[in-house]
Amino acid sequence: MPYVNIRLAGTLSREQKEEMCAGVTKVIAEVTKKPEDSILIFVDEEQHENIAKGGKLLKKPA
Amino acid sequence: MPYVNIRLAGTLSREQKEEMCAGVTKVIAEVTKKPEDSILIFVDEEQHENIAKGGKLLKKPA
Amino acid sequence: MPYVNIRLAGTLSREQKEEMCAGVTKVIAEVTKKPEDSILIFVDEEQHENIAKGGKLLKKPA
Amino acid sequence: MPYVNIRLAGTLSREQKEEMCAGVTKVIAEVTKKPEDSILIFVDEEQHENIAKGGKLLKKPA
Amino acid sequence: MPYVNIRLAGTLSREQKEEMCAGVTKVIAEVTKKPEDSILIFVDEEQHENIAKGGKLLKKPA
Amino acid sequence: MPYVNIRLAGTLSREQKEEMCAGVTKVIAEVTKKPEDSILIFVDEEQHENIAKGGKLLKKPA
């Protein structure tokens, strides 16, 4: 039942999402002793200009 | 003032969103005695590969 | 896998939460054809003074 | 470290996002005495038909 | 209808929340041309040990 | 800048939160090539009766 939301700028490949979600799930299951199968992750890939740090929009890397 | 966020994989038709939001609003208003008009719902339609269960990305249904 | 977050001011009784979550789950399952068992709801009971509408904090009902 | 999420219907221009994020960051930094640079904002631009008020989907303005 | 969530470590006084919510509402209304009255803010006051930056839990200020 | 929210039922010890946040941060940094220091995690420890699965509130483990 743990719910995880990961929000980041830009896009990830399918392989990166697979690896990230597998790894995050493993860590949370190990530390909390909750079953891996109960862990639900939502990944939000956002545009750089929709995220601000210190009041300034992020710039898309060249 | 209740705020509701519904996140799910795939897309819904406009009719499905209308029916879902009307129904969810009615249930919450009835149980909590808060006015229907104060209830705000955001529906997030996500790609299957951006959701993981048990560390594995969801597969798009065939 | 649908994830639902319901945020509201004040507290609900256990019975209200049971009724609300059962009802919301039923509506979403019926409309989206997703299995009831896959629907995860988090209810956030917030203090009135932590919610603002139109720039003014909500008042606790007398 | 404050995290801010602003969700709204429709789209904003880059200039509007810049102005909104700069202004919101300034207000939060001044009131909370936390450094501007630590404030992270995510702006979610949503379709009108994915937001419901009072159980009815928002209509796109003509 | 804009929904805003502000999450931060520690607690704020009622006066700080009033000032912060009034200010954030004003900025968003001005930039987006949406009515102030439609803006809904939830403030989440979190424990320092429930927030991590760079993988380390925040320390409560002395 | 990645923002992570981990929501779960029950409470964790400070040590568990430290280990979980360090591990999750490491995984995300490695996969996304974003600096560890930019990753912000909020952990929400929720009451069992505020989470429902399949329309039924979670039971507190005996």
Side-chain angles (χ1 to χ4, degrees), chain F residues 46-60:
Chain F
E46 308 289 350
Q47 287 182 272
H48 285 76
E49 75 169 52
N50 282 1
I51 304 178
K53 181 104 182 47
K56 289 185 176 48
L57 306 185
L58 297 190
K59 290 210 176 76
K60 215 170 162 171

Side-chain angles (χ1 to χ4, degrees), chain C residues 7 49-54, chain E residues 3 17 37 39 41 43-44:
Chain C
R7 311 195 72 178
E49 75 169 53
N50 282 0
I51 305 179
K53 182 104 181 46
Chain E
Y3 164 78
K17 293 184 227 182
D37 196 53
I39 298 173
I41 305 180
V43 179
D44 300 347

Side-chain angles (χ1 to χ4, degrees), chain A residues 3 5 12-15 17-18 21-23 25 36-45, chain B residues 5-9 44-60:
Chain A
Y3 164 78
N5 184 203
L12 299 175
S13 68
R14 190 183 168 90
E15 288 66 34
K17 292 184 227 182
E18 270 174 349
C21 291
T25 298
E36 286 208 7
D37 195 54
S38 69
I39 298 174
L40 184 63
I41 305 180
F42 280 67
V43 180
D44 299 348
E45 300 168 296
Chain B
N5 184 204
I6 303 174
R7 310 194 73 177
L8 37 74
D44 300 346
E45 299 168 297
E46 309 289 350
Q47 288 182 271
H48 286 76
E49 75 169 54
N50 282 2
I51 305 180
K53 181 105 182 45
K56 287 183 178 48
L57 306 185
L58 297 189
K59 290 211 177 74
K60 216 169 163 170

